[in-house]
Amino acid sequence: MHAAMEIPYVSTPRPDTGLYNAKIGIWLFLASEVMLFGGLFSAYILLRVGAPDGTWPEGWLNIPVGTTNTVVLITSSITTVMAWASCKMKQFGRFKLFHGLTLLLAMTFVGIKSYEYHDKFTHYEAKLNDQLVLADGKTVFGNLVANTNGVVLFSVSTGQPGEYEATPAKYAQAQVAKIVPGQIVDGHLVERAADHITLSGHTVAEHAELMNMRSAAARHIQHSEITLVPAQLRSIETYGPWHNTYLAIYFTLTGLHALHVLGGALVIGYLWGPGSKLWQTDPERFTNRVEISGLFWHFVDLVWIFLFPVLYLL
Amino acid sequence: MINWEQLFGLPPLASQQGQAIDNVLIYTHWLIAALLIGWSGYFVYVLYRFRASRHPKADYLGVRTHASNYLEGVVAVIEGVILLGFSIPFWAKAADQFPKEDASVVIKVAAQQFAWNVLYPGPDGDFGRQDPRFLSAQNAFGLDPEDPKTRKDIVTLNEIHVQVDKPVIVHLTSRDVVHSFKVLAMRVNQDAIPGMSIPLHFTPTRVGVYQINCAQLCGNGHSGMAAGRLHVDTPEEFAKWLKSKSGAAAAPASYE
Amino acid sequence: MQAIAEIDPLAAPHARPHGAARETHDGAGTFWRKYVFSTDHKVIGIQYAITGLCFLFFGFLLMTMMRWQIAKPGEPIPIFGPLLQAVLGDTAAKGIMSPDLYNSFGAMHGTIMVFLAIVPLAFGAFANLIVPLQIGAPDMAFPRVNMASYQAYFVGGVIMLASFIIPGGAAQAGWTSYPPLATVVATDGQTYWIIGMVFLITSSLLGAVNVIATVIQLRAPGLHWFRLPFFVWAQFVTAFLLLLAFPPLESAAVMQLMDKVAHTSFFLPAGLAVAGPDGHVSGGGNPLLWQHLFWFLAHPEVYVLILPAMGIVCEIVANNTRKPVWGYKSLVYALLILGFLSFIVWAHHMYLTGMGTKISTFFQTTTIIISIPSVIILTCLFLSLWGGSIRFNTPMLFALGFLPMFGIGGLTGLPLGFATSDIHLHDTYYVIGHFHYVVAPGTIFALFAGIYYWFPKFTGRMMNEFWGKVHFWLSLIFMNLIFQPMLFQGMAGMLRRMADGGANYSAARVPDAVGGLSNYIMQMNTMISYAVWMLGLAQVPFILNFFYSMWKGPKAPSDNPWQATTLEWQTPTPPPHGNFLTAPAVFRGPYEYSVPGHAQDFTPQNQPDRPATT
Ligand code: HEA
Ligand code: HEA
Ligand code: CUA
Ligand SMILES: [Cu+2]
């Protein structure tokens, strides 16, 4: 009897479209990926345009580190093309070399990215309590509630960050030597223990002063080690995605991109390792697979080319 | 004359701009009715005339005229007329052409789960300074207690008074989730969105008490958010009401 | 003119006992390989169909209970009430549906119907089952991706179902999941919803890539673009909508997930009186961002619900009028324009979010323009009837029912499309009536039509005509009794998503204010609810017919029982693994019925102009 039909154009191109099936597949997939990242980029634009003046951080990322990573990815795009070209020229050894390099560069990228993430997760912004210096030299930390009619109302910190005694304490004006309004300490973690936290950073009066790290003033900031005890802290928070919408979109975009890098690395690793057996039996199909993985890799690269200026430079 | 509003099942109308909305509704439904009746008639006729038992041999070509192109054209033109002639101009007026503030009743409304907070500027005609820092359960608008203007402001819950035939401007926002401010008889509907203050305006034309609906799903109390009332008063009543409120400790409660 | 000699497909040699094909051609293997982890497009299609029907039923079940609460707010639900209490606990205390539960069921009814029932049926099942056959392909282009698509759908469905029984229950913020409500509502159901959606989006994406690649690459020789059946065109455009519209929702879902679990503030502005799960909101976000991303998907999505339905109807109308569809090219062009425009109308769901004149003008205009291709498609289908020799079998009845029902649904979209009249109608039952006319007696009828029509292709048996007609007429009557009154309720100002059916806003409860809903409008609630339950009963003949016919129905008289022209009927029944015994070639357009000069009133696409010489 007749043989069952087989799926055509698995590795040879269909004459009228000039493409084999998987190539159409990957282009379609990439079109949807464009829409996926497009959605996030439009979110970025909307949030940034909607942010009131002076609330969108600038210069919070390390440009040399980002540039290095950009170079790493672009190089990997070149090696992946070389790998494919090697297959086309039937040079399996060279393919192994270039694809191995691509994999290595991918892992380098992920490594550098993790370093940058680590840097943010150990970067703290500590809002300090108001400080009441009494005439007898004692200091208390807490919230200044009111300062009228010769009386200072002050809710005193319980010693836990952000927690205060239920009823504010009353001081006569004469008892109070000085009121220091709550400041902000911003810096990297040096040491953290139950009874204190040490940051290497600087102190500012307003949160807004932390926004532009590209300004002339920001470049002259002196860093020093500052140790804080819990009673001093109104709140303390790392530079995680919860910190503000800039970091939120930064982590979301780069996190999703990093997942793509890892996914791509997985595919590349497979084709470099166990998947390369196909070369022996069906070199044409294997070459197609390398091409497909390369197309995906170029896309991942391209996304980064957009991410880098948008997040690091603008 | 026939009352088309009633025929189409619309609720009573008590605002000036509402007539334009009703008109668009009515014209569009005329178009719908015409197409529905026309096509239904055609449909029934065709099914009868060309059923297999009566018409055993199908005609390969079928319809040979191009009447349908004209029909599609006519539909498009009518839609175009409603769009360009009525709907777009109305929207321009509703969104951009606000009445003068000093000739209107100007209020702020902040929706919350599940009630309407209303703020009047009070006799001085000025709202107190607002700052998100002062937002609290007692201070739905975040009025600055230090601002002298705040003292004169009037705050009510679920109760809006306006004056008949005088434009009303509402600055609408929400304190928590998205709600939607809807007064059927005024043909007014506007989402209340946290983080945004959206102005809307209308001119009531009939004295009475009107229900305020919340038209956007806002949680498990959404269907119960029904206590809001819009009172359209005569000028005398309105003045009396304002007077009765001002001076009373209407401003946000104490801040000790 | 001389009559062309023709092969009689009824006597074609491949009509042979059903089942034989499977034995010889299936790649063999165990039960699991054949029915669960199969890569055969027909098996996957059937998996989609069965799962989708179950979800359709489940989505309906949720609504039957909600309709009790709407008709008799606060009264315990008979039969199901105690069951709900036993499974869900306090939200159904004493068998009464709490507002929380109502909101859960409402959100999940919408989600399940759209993403777990209609899309998997209209696209997942029908595209999988029919497209490869109609284009003369042995399978989909990527069979394993196809299997993964079904599996992702299945996992997504399981996650959605699981969310019902977690503490707090399923998502409660509507199928639209608007933040801040979605973020702050006190249940993890929303998180399940988001993760479930990510799986469903992945599933659609894989399916879409497959359908597009298959149509482009695997068309049989001679089957060029303007010889494709309209059904294939419809699925092709649908796949593009899924491919391009879903990812932005995925990005929005990722952001909402971040808001829920990483405490970001993508959609939360500063100063909210309610806060995120841990009370921390950094602020700076925008609730409208979600709405834009959601509707950027959800508007194209509604065309995903309707285009496959139009495709099915077109096939059946052509077949049962025994003549070509009228204006095939206009249909295709209208479809393409519709697909394109559907990406630029989304904000007509957001007219009342404080939209300026420019933006509202843009979206009103595009919305009204998009109604024109729909009008063209409907007009072509209506005109196709003229001059036909119309057979009123069950598939045709459902297809004919679709036409005016979609007509009503589509036409009621117009007053919603004008921003001005939408002020009055937004978020009322008029909207509910509008879109249910399109998706229920519209799409669901088309799906029924398709099931009755293609049933013999995959089972070798016919469904019962009598019970099919009973199913049709009862469904038609009850669907209209349900959705017609909703349009009136909406006009009168009844709001949707009311856990008490609007009782708190009724004139009876608010005698002091103008605007309360009249008794007359309120009584419609009860009437509609009865119609909903009757509609459920009306499905019994279908369900019985479906299962009975599968095993006991009369054998199909041939491989081509409807005497159709398209390629799916030119293979053995059921089609073997690989579909065609010999690769088919195509010589003509899809609807060559009653061609003058031919002896038969249908000329299959693969029939050579002259009998083959061998
Ligand atoms: C398959 C689904 C589907 C389809 C096809 C449509 C089609 C259309 N929809 Fe609908 N719509 C929805 C599903 C759908 N919609 C859903 C689910 C919602 C609500 C979502 C939510 O909020 O939860 C919605 C809501 C919705 C809104 C928002 C309303 C609001 O919330 O305030 C608007 C506004 O513009 C709108 C407009 C339209 C228009 C102009 C069309 C046009 O494309 C229609 C064009 C068709 C025609 C014009 C018919 C032509 C027919 C004839 C001429 C023949 C007539 C013959 C006889 C009657 C015999 N729709
Ligand atoms: C495709 C989408 C779709 C479909 C098909 C339906 C179908 C139905 N819907 Fe739904 N509905 C929505 C999408 C849909 N709905 C959405 C998006 C909302 C808004 C949600 C929100 O507010 O967020 C909504 C809201 C909604 C409401 C408003 C609730 C409210 O605002 O509070 C109501 C009220 O009556 C309703 C009723 C119905 C009814 C009676 C049906 C009926 O037509 C159902 C008919 C189905 C059947 C009768 C089942 C048949 C089953 C079989 C035949 C199974 C056979 C099985 C085997 C053979 C294995 N729906
Ligand atoms: Cu407030 Cu609904
Ligand atoms: Cu829409």
Side-chain angles (χ1 to χ4, degrees):
Chain A
M1 272 209 61
H2 316 263
M5 268 177 83
E6 291 294 329
I7 299 173
Y9 314 121
V10 169
S11 51
T12 48
R14 178 178 164 116
D16 59 353
T17 60
L19 300 164
Y20 54 91
N21 296 344
K23 200 146 168 188
I24 291 226
I26 192 75
W27 279 116
L28 292 168
F29 177 68
L30 292 183
S32 87
E33 292 276 274
V34 168
M35 297 303 287
L36 175 65
F37 281 98
L40 286 168
F41 274 110
S42 15
Y44 168 88
I45 293 169
L46 213 100
L47 291 172
R48 174 154 195 177
V49 169
D53 281 345
T55 60
W56 194 262
E58 277 169 59
W60 278 22
L61 298 174
N62 188 325
I63 294 179
V65 174
T67 311
T68 311
N69 241 353
T70 310
V71 173
V72 167
L73 264 198
I74 291 179
T75 316
S76 76
S77 244
I78 298 172
T79 55
T80 195
V81 174
M82 302 294 282
W84 175 63
S86 309
C87 285
K88 277 275 179 200
M89 294 185 296
K90 309 272 182 244
Q91 293 171 329
F92 189 65
R94 272 172 55 114
F95 156 77
K96 277 272 191 181
L97 170 71
F98 282 119
H99 229 45
L101 273 177
T102 312
L103 189 60
L104 221 61
L105 289 165
M107 295 332 287
T108 310
F109 177 88
V110 173
I112 293 178
K113 200 73 230 156
S114 327
Y115 162 77
E116 287 185 279
Y117 274 20
H118 177 77
D119 182 66
K120 287 285 165 275
F121 282 116
T122 53
H123 190 162
Y124 285 80
E125 178 181 339
K127 294 200 166 84
L128 301 191
N129 279 321
D130 299 334
Q131 190 180 341
L132 206 61
V133 182
L134 300 177
D136 58 10
K138 269 211 318 227
T139 43
V140 275
F141 299 104
N143 266 331
L144 179 68
V145 179
N147 183 4
T148 45
N149 308 331
V151 179
V152 176
L153 275 175
F154 198 82
S155 60
V156 180
S157 168
T158 60
Q160 294 303 312
E163 284 181 25
Y164 307 98
E165 241 115 56
T167 35
K170 264 189 198 179
Y171 301 90
Q173 203 97 56
Q175 278 177 278
V176 177
K178 198 166 77 172
I179 300 171
V180 187
Q183 290 174 310
I184 291 173
V185 175
D186 185 81
H188 281 92
L189 184 68
V190 176
E191 185 191 25
R192 181 170 201 171
D195 61 342
H196 72 273
I197 182 166
T198 307
L199 302 176
S200 159
H202 63 125
T203 307
V204 295
E206 292 277 348
H207 179 68
E209 292 175 49
L210 299 171
M211 284 300 123
N212 192 347
M213 284 296 145
R214 214 175 275 146
S215 64
R219 256 180 260 130
H220 295 105
I221 292 169
Q222 298 293 319
H223 283 227
S224 56
E225 290 206 354
I226 304 167
T227 297
L228 304 165
V229 297
Q232 276 177 284
L233 296 172
R234 183 168 289 164
S235 66
I236 182 158
E237 198 173 271
T238 55
Y239 275 36
W242 45 80
H243 194 60
N244 59 29
T245 33
Y246 168 74
L247 286 170
I249 195 84
Y250 163 74
F251 276 107
T252 309
L253 268 170
T254 54
L256 198 67
H257 177 259
L259 283 179
H260 279 75
V261 172
L262 287 173
L266 219 65
V267 173
I268 291 169
Y270 172 77
L271 289 178
W272 183 80
S276 66
K277 284 202 205 91
L278 188 63
W279 175 260
Q280 261 72 46
T281 50
D282 192 347
E284 194 181 357
R285 191 148 183 213
F286 182 73
T287 307
N288 287 347
R289 285 190 179 173
V290 173
E291 187 184 14
I292 299 294
S293 74
L295 283 171
F296 179 74
W297 196 250
H298 292 323
F299 171 79
V300 171
D301 192 12
L302 191 73
V303 171
W304 181 258
I305 304 277
F306 278 94
L307 282 179
F308 176 62
V310 161
L311 295 171
Y312 287 72
L313 306 179
L314 288 178
Chain B
M1 231 193 79
I2 306 171
N3 184 341
W4 294 116
E5 271 95 353
Q6 223 166 15
L7 191 78
F8 281 101
L10 286 162
L13 173 68
S15 75
Q16 221 171 56
Q17 93 294 349
Q19 190 59 54
I21 295 177
D22 284 5
N23 288 347
V24 174
L25 270 168
I26 289 166
Y27 302 151
T28 318
H29 279 86
W30 276 125
L31 175 66
I32 293 177
L35 285 169
L36 196 74
I37 293 168
W39 276 118
S40 301
Y42 163 86
F43 191 51
V44 172
Y45 174 70
V46 168
L47 293 186
Y48 169 77
R49 175 164 164 196
F50 294 106
R51 65 189 196 277
S53 55
R54 194 170 174 278
H55 195 252
K57 184 102 189 71
D59 169 7
Y60 182 72
L61 288 176
V63 177
R64 286 179 182 76
T65 73
H66 289 277
S68 66
N69 293 2
Y70 299 113
L71 181 69
E72 284 154 11
V74 168
V75 172
V77 168
I78 297 175
E79 287 180 359
V81 168
I82 300 177
L83 180 70
L84 300 173
F86 298 93
S87 194
I88 293 175
F90 175 83
W91 199 269
K93 232 158 115 183
D96 296 335
Q97 294 168 26
F98 274 71
K100 284 209 176 59
E101 294 236 332
D102 47 18
S104 319
V105 178
V106 184
I107 58 173
K108 296 192 177 186
V109 171
Q112 73 176 68
Q113 288 175 331
F114 298 97
W116 305 97
N117 298 287
V118 187
L119 177 68
Y120 283 82
D124 59 347
D126 252 343
F127 292 104
R129 206 176 72 81
Q130 283 172 278
D131 188 317
R133 276 189 303 146
F134 299 111
L135 283 170
S136 72
Q138 294 80 37
N139 189 353
F141 291 93
L143 291 164
D144 180 353
E146 309 288 324
D147 185 353
K149 282 184 289 197
T150 295
R151 298 252 170 255
K152 303 216 175 82
D153 286 355
I154 300 170
V155 177
T156 67
L157 190 68
N158 284 330
E159 188 183 353
I160 302 178
H161 282 257
V162 296
Q163 192 177 316
V164 70
D165 292 327
K166 185 170 178 183
V168 181
I169 299 176
V170 181
H171 295 273
L172 189 64
T173 187
S174 165
R175 298 199 49 212
D176 38 43
V177 303
V178 182
H179 302 260
S180 192
F181 178 83
K182 181 162 193 152
V183 186
L184 283 174
M186 300 297 146
R187 302 291 189 272
V188 159
N189 192 4
Q190 172 62 54
D191 286 356
I193 297 167
M196 295 172 76
S197 173
I198 304 168
L200 67 99
H201 65 96
F202 62 97
T203 308
T205 53
R206 274 201 267 161
V207 172
V209 183
Y210 301 90
Q211 168 137 35
I212 303 172
N213 296 358
C214 176
Q216 182 63 264
L217 179 64
C218 52
N220 53 15
H222 169 58
S223 64
M225 196 164 158
R229 296 288 181 272
L230 172 75
H231 299 255
V232 178
D233 297 338
T234 60
E236 300 76 41
E237 280 169 351
F238 182 67
K240 212 169 100 194
W241 177 79
L242 261 188
K243 202 145 165 247
S244 78
K245 284 287 173 180
S246 40
S254 56
Y255 291 104
E256 248 89 301
Chain C
M1 205 211 240
Q2 201 196 331
I4 298 163
E6 285 172 358
I7 301 163
D8 180 8
L10 292 186
H14 55 61
R16 62 182 139 81
H18 128 247
R22 186 175 274 153
E23 302 313 324
T24 38
H25 288 284
D26 214 13
T30 62
F31 168 84
W32 290 94
R33 271 306 269 283
K34 244 179 177 163
Y35 299 110
V36 181
F37 296 102
S38 170
T39 55
D40 186 314
H41 74 101
K42 298 177 289 296
V43 178
I44 295 170
I46 287 167
Q47 290 172 336
Y48 260 117
I50 300 289
T51 322
L53 281 171
C54 291
F55 274 114
L56 183 66
F57 188 73
F58 183 68
F60 176 66
L61 216 61
L62 294 178
M63 189 42 70
T64 55
M65 292 180 250
M66 290 169 71
R67 287 303 321 185
W68 175 270
Q69 172 70 4
I70 291 172
K72 300 171 194 295
E75 289 180 32
I77 307 173
I79 314 171
F80 290 109
L83 206 73
L84 285 183
Q85 189 181 5
V87 180
L88 303 176
D90 277 350
T91 56
K94 301 204 191 77
I96 300 168
M97 184 179 277
S98 65
D100 284 321
L101 191 58
Y102 182 90
N103 288 350
S104 273
F105 278 19
M108 296 311 281
H109 164 78
T111 306
I112 286 174
M113 283 304 202
V114 172
F115 299 111
L116 286 159
I118 302 295
V119 173
L121 284 169
F123 181 71
F126 275 98
N128 254 312
L129 288 171
I130 312 299
V131 166
L133 288 168
Q134 276 195 340
I135 63 170
D139 202 320
M140 291 290 231
F142 313 113
R144 267 183 297 170
V145 171
N146 205 13
M147 179 175 73
S149 161
Y150 173 75
Q151 287 164 349
Y153 159 56
F154 190 82
V155 173
V158 169
I159 293 173
M160 291 286 186
L161 287 179
S163 75
F164 279 94
I165 52 173
I166 63 166
Q172 292 181 4
W175 81 293
T176 48
S177 291
Y178 282 6
L181 182 61
T183 317
V184 303
V185 81
T187 169
D188 288 334
Q190 189 65 31
T191 311
Y192 279 65
W193 186 90
I194 297 167
I195 296 172
M197 284 305 296
V198 170
F199 276 94
L200 297 177
I201 292 169
T202 309
S203 159
S204 294
L205 201 99
L206 299 177
V209 169
N210 228 330
V211 167
I212 298 173
T214 305
V215 173
I216 294 179
Q217 291 289 93
L218 304 192
R219 275 169 295 125
L223 187 55
H224 38 75
W225 289 98
F226 281 107
R227 284 179 179 173
L228 284 178
F230 185 66
F231 175 83
V232 175
W233 269 113
Q235 294 287 2
F236 186 68
V237 173
T238 303
F240 267 104
L241 299 185
L242 286 171
L243 184 79
L244 300 177
F246 250 137
L249 180 66
E250 184 156 23
S251 66
V254 168
M255 287 188 271
Q256 198 175 90
L257 191 66
M258 292 288 283
D259 276 5
K260 282 218 77 111
V261 301
H263 310 309
T264 54
S265 298
F266 283 112
F267 306 125
L268 308 177
L272 284 186
V274 286
D278 72 339
H280 173 93
V281 169
S282 71
N286 185 342
L288 288 187
L289 173 58
W290 168 270
Q291 296 192 18
H292 281 292
L293 291 170
F294 180 85
W295 290 115
F296 185 85
L297 155 87
H299 187 85
E301 174 73 20
V302 307
Y303 290 98
V304 169
L305 303 176
I306 203 68
L307 297 185
M310 289 172 166
I312 294 171
V313 166
C314 188
E315 297 302 298
I316 293 172
V317 163
N319 178 261
N320 290 299
T321 52
R322 314 303 297 163
K323 62 182 280 299
V325 294
W326 192 85
Y328 171 81
K329 283 206 173 169
S330 324
L331 277 170
V332 172
Y333 287 125
L335 182 71
L336 292 172
I337 293 171
L338 193 67
F340 171 74
L341 287 175
S342 72
F343 284 99
I344 50 167
V345 301
W346 79 89
H348 65 208
H349 297 270
M350 299 168 59
Y351 285 140
L352 302 184
T353 53
M355 200 178 270
T357 306
K358 281 200 198 92
I359 299 180
S360 94
T361 299
F362 176 81
F363 283 105
Q364 292 190 65
T365 309
T366 53
T367 300
I368 295 311
I369 292 175
I370 204 177
S371 71
I372 301 298
S374 300
V375 169
I376 293 176
I377 290 176
L378 261 266
T379 305
C380 287
L381 291 174
F382 270 125
L383 294 189
S384 295
L385 300 172
W386 187 273
S389 173
I390 302 172
R391 306 190 301 209
F392 293 97
N393 46 34
T394 309
M396 185 60 167
L397 286 180
F398 274 107
L400 289 174
F402 170 93
L403 297 176
M405 294 299 105
F406 172 78
I408 297 176
L411 290 173
T412 49
L414 298 178
L416 301 173
F418 295 117
T420 300
S421 35
D422 190 49
I423 293 176
H424 180 61
L425 298 175
H426 181 63
D427 268 330
T428 65
Y429 264 86
Y430 194 93
V431 178
I432 302 286
H434 152 64
F435 74 79
H436 280 87
Y437 256 110
V438 191
V439 294
T443 302
I444 294 187
F445 273 21
L447 297 179
F448 283 145
I451 291 173
Y452 283 100
Y453 182 65
W454 278 297
F455 190 85
K457 186 72 240 169
F458 297 98
T459 63
R461 291 169 191 272
M462 310 294 289
M463 286 179 77
N464 182 290
E465 274 290 306
F466 174 77
W467 289 111
K469 285 176 180 159
V470 170
H471 177 212
F472 169 72
W473 286 108
L474 291 181
S475 297
L476 183 72
I477 292 167
F478 291 123
M479 285 283 190
N480 279 284
L481 286 178
I482 295 168
F483 298 119
Q484 184 87 49
M486 287 187 187
L487 296 173
F488 289 100
Q489 289 184 317
M491 273 291 218
M494 182 184 278
L495 297 170
R496 59 192 285 204
R497 294 168 164 175
M498 287 289 159
D500 61 353
N504 276 321
Y505 285 117
S506 66
R509 296 261 179 100
V510 282
D512 60 317
V514 181
L517 300 165
S518 69
N519 285 340
Y520 175 64
I521 291 293
M522 289 304 291
Q523 277 156 7
M524 283 183 183
N525 272 344
T526 324
M527 200 285 287
I528 294 173
S529 293
Y530 279 111
V532 168
W533 303 322
M534 297 303 288
L535 177 67
L537 289 182
Q539 307 310 310
V540 173
F542 169 71
I543 296 174
L544 295 181
N545 193 352
F546 187 82
F547 288 110
Y548 180 85
S549 306
M550 204 181 287
W551 288 289
K552 295 268 171 65
K555 291 249 165 68
S558 77
D559 285 335
N560 188 0
W562 309 110
Q563 307 195 312
T565 50
T566 40
L567 288 182
E568 79 271 31
W569 302 103
Q570 323 302 331
T571 75
T573 301
H577 194 72
N579 290 347
F580 293 89
L581 302 180
T582 45
V586 168
F587 300 93
R588 55 177 53 73
Y591 306 118
E592 292 300 289
Y593 289 101
S594 302
V595 184
H598 283 224
Q600 287 179 151
D601 72 347
F602 66 108
T603 316
Q605 283 191 279
N606 61 340
Q607 182 172 296
D609 290 335
R610 306 247 175 277
T613 37
T614 41

